[in-house]
């Protein structure tokens, strides 16, 4: 089974009214199902999705996300207004869609949300404190969280091949909704 990597998830996160959310079609893609199946699960279980769990975008919001996120351009031709799932909505969706892929994907999504929140708190704390020792500790914690989120080593080593020595640089850059992070890694292949 393929585990969802942060790089895949990050490109699908949308900052909607200061909340990280995922759009229904992206969840379907991550779960390996049709968007219709996600929406059917919601329709059949409306009592499990109170206000704040799922939000149907307005026509204007739909146009805005299509402009901001290239991978959503296919929504331009859809007559339906997309839904966005908050973290709570994803928890609830996981109780309905029972496939192994959906369950593991939801766990990875929720873990990523938790790490992003912790990273956000650390960054805010760094900016608020003048204690250099505390700033250094928070920066180290933040770096560790980033490494967990990106899962750098496994991403790089997946492509590893034997051959001549080649020096390469891999650059990770992503927008967390509250900060843009860029990290470069050099690797020598043998």
């Amino acid at each position: 089974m393929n585990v969802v990597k942060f790089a895949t998830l990050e490109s699908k996160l949308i900052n909607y009214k200061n909340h990280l959310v995922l759009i229904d079609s992206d969840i379907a893609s991550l779960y390996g199902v049709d968007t219709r199946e996600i929406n059917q699960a919601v329709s059949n279980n409306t009592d499990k999705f109170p206000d704040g769990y799922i939000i149907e975008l307005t026509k204007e919001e739909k146009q805005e996300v299509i402009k901001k996120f290239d991978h959503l351009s296919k929504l331009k031709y859809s007559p339906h207004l997309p839904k966005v799932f908050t973290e709570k909505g994803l928890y609830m969706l996981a109780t309905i869609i029972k496939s192994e892929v959906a369950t593991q994907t939801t766990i990875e999504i929720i873990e990523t949300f938790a790490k992003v929140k912790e990273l956000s708190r650390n960054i805010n704390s760094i900016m608020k404190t003048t204690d250099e020792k505390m700033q250094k500790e928070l920066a180290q914690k933040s770096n560790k969280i980033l490494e967990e989120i990106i899962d750098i080593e496994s991403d790089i080593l997946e492509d590893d091949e034997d051959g001549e020595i080649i020096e390469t640089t891999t650059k990770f850059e992503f927008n967390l909704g509250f900060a843009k992070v860029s990290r470069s890694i050099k690797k020598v292949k043998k």
Side-chain angles (χ1 to χ4, degrees), residues 104-139:
Q104 289 303 312
T105 299
T106 300
I107 289 169
E108 290 301 319
I109 291 168
I110 291 167
E111 287 294 324
T112 299
F113 277 158
K115 288 175 185 174
V116 168
K117 285 179 186 177
E118 184 179 353
L119 183 60
S120 176
R121 284 191 298 271
N122 283 353
I123 291 171
N124 287 332
S125 295
I126 289 170
M127 294 186 316
K128 290 179 183 175
T129 186
T130 55
D131 180 351
E132 287 184 31
K133 183 179 176 186
M134 179 64 82
Q135 286 177 336
K136 186 175 180 178
E137 286 174 16
L138 289 168

Side-chain angles (χ1 to χ4, degrees), residues 28-178:
S29 172
L30 292 168
Y31 282 10
V33 299
D34 291 330
T35 306
R36 174 179 354 106
E37 290 180 58
I38 298 292
N39 291 319
Q40 188 67 43
V42 171
S43 296
N44 292 340
N45 297 279
T46 55
D47 58 320
K48 291 187 175 189
F49 296 95
D51 287 344
Y53 282 52
I54 299 176
I55 302 152
E56 187 170 309
L57 299 182
T58 64
K59 287 181 183 178
E60 294 78 24
E61 290 169 331
K62 176 183 173 183
Q63 295 308 315
E64 189 177 325
V65 295
I66 290 169
K67 273 193 252 178
K68 285 185 179 179
F69 300 93
D70 293 338
H71 77 280
L72 297 175
S73 62
K74 64 185 178 274
L75 293 177
K76 182 187 284 188
Y77 305 105
S78 172
H80 305 287
L81 293 175
K83 295 175 183 67
V84 294
F85 285 72
T86 64
E87 188 175 352
K88 292 176 185 177
L90 287 167
Y91 280 121
M92 195 55 70
L93 188 61
T95 67
I96 298 167
I97 298 182
K98 299 289 187 180
S99 77
E100 187 177 344
V101 171
T103 300
Q104 289 303 312
T105 299
T106 300
I107 289 169
E108 290 301 319
I109 291 168
I110 291 167
E111 287 294 324
T112 299
F113 277 158
K115 288 175 185 174
V116 168
K117 285 179 186 177
E118 184 179 353
L119 183 60
S120 176
R121 284 191 298 271
N122 283 353
I123 291 171
N124 287 332
S125 295
I126 289 170
M127 294 186 316
K128 290 179 183 175
T129 186
T130 55
D131 180 351
E132 287 184 31
K133 183 179 176 186
M134 179 64 82
Q135 286 177 336
K136 186 175 180 178
E137 286 174 16
L138 289 168
Q140 288 173 341
K141 285 181 184 177
S142 297
N143 191 41
K144 185 174 186 231
I145 294 167
L146 278 172
E147 287 175 0
E148 290 172 5
I149 290 172
I150 300 171
D151 196 12
I152 294 166
E153 289 179 34
S154 64
D155 282 347
I156 291 173
L157 294 175
E158 283 177 359
D159 301 336
D160 211 17
E161 297 174 8
D162 291 333
E164 62 186 76
I165 296 175
I166 303 170
E167 186 172 302
T168 62
T169 301
T170 303
K171 185 172 184 176
F172 295 93
E173 187 170 305
F174 52 91
N175 187 337
L176 296 172
F178 58 86

